[in-house]
Amino acid sequence: MIDVIPIIKDHFKTLRSHRDNRIMWKQVVFFYGIPLLLGAIDTILAWRIGGVGNILTAFAILAGLLFNLLVLLFDVASKAAQAGGLGDDNSRLKLAKQLQANVTYALLVALLTASILGVASGMKMETVNRWLSGILLVLLAHFSLTLLMIVRRIRSAFLNSLTAQA
């Protein structure tokens, strides 16, 4: 059996403060509350997501790019460990681990979403019903926000790398 719980736990660890290890509730509400709110609005207003095949294609491409990023992060983490050791004071390694947790989690969300879209596409659904539309909107919004988190952390890693070399 494939256990995805460690992936989810690792991602949630990145939503904690570095100073005091407390959960950053504003981020949790932002990354989970907003998608759930959008999904609820979608379901109540009976919006229906169309273009299932196109969305599936986009998610397949993004999942492939995330796999590539995960491989690249392995190399980055190994170089950070060689340069600064494996201790907690190695900020580059810590950032690489957080990025790995976020990218793996985003990949998990992308694969779940692509699976749902794949089944819908296989059933020749070009537009999904309101309930499935609500679920997909939650996943799409959550995935998009998680990608934004990854972009922000990559930027931070880049800036951290520049200041370390200066």
Side-chain angles (χ1 to χ4, degrees), residues 29-90:
V29 168
F30 181 74
F31 287 106
Y32 292 93
I34 289 175
L36 287 171
L37 180 64
L38 284 173
I41 291 170
D42 174 271
T43 305
I44 291 167
L45 297 178
W47 294 339
R48 297 177 64 190
I49 292 178
V52 170
N54 292 335
I55 299 171
L56 175 59
T57 301
F59 262 83
I61 292 168
L62 285 171
L65 291 172
L66 286 172
F67 270 120
N68 287 333
L69 182 56
L70 204 53
V71 171
L72 179 65
L73 281 171
F74 179 76
D75 185 51
V76 168
S78 116
K79 287 179 182 175
Q82 287 175 354
L86 296 173
D88 286 339
D89 57 332
N90 187 344

Side-chain angles (χ1 to χ4, degrees), residues 121-133:
S121 180
M123 295 173 67
K124 306 289 185 210
M125 298 171 89
E126 190 52 35
T127 304
V128 295
N129 67 37
R130 74 186 246 187
W131 301 103
L132 189 54
S133 184

Side-chain angles (χ1 to χ4, degrees), residues 107-125:
L107 188 55
L108 182 67
V109 173
L111 292 175
L112 174 63
T113 307
S115 297
I116 294 170
L117 289 166
V119 170
S121 180
M123 295 173 67
K124 306 289 185 210
M125 298 171 89

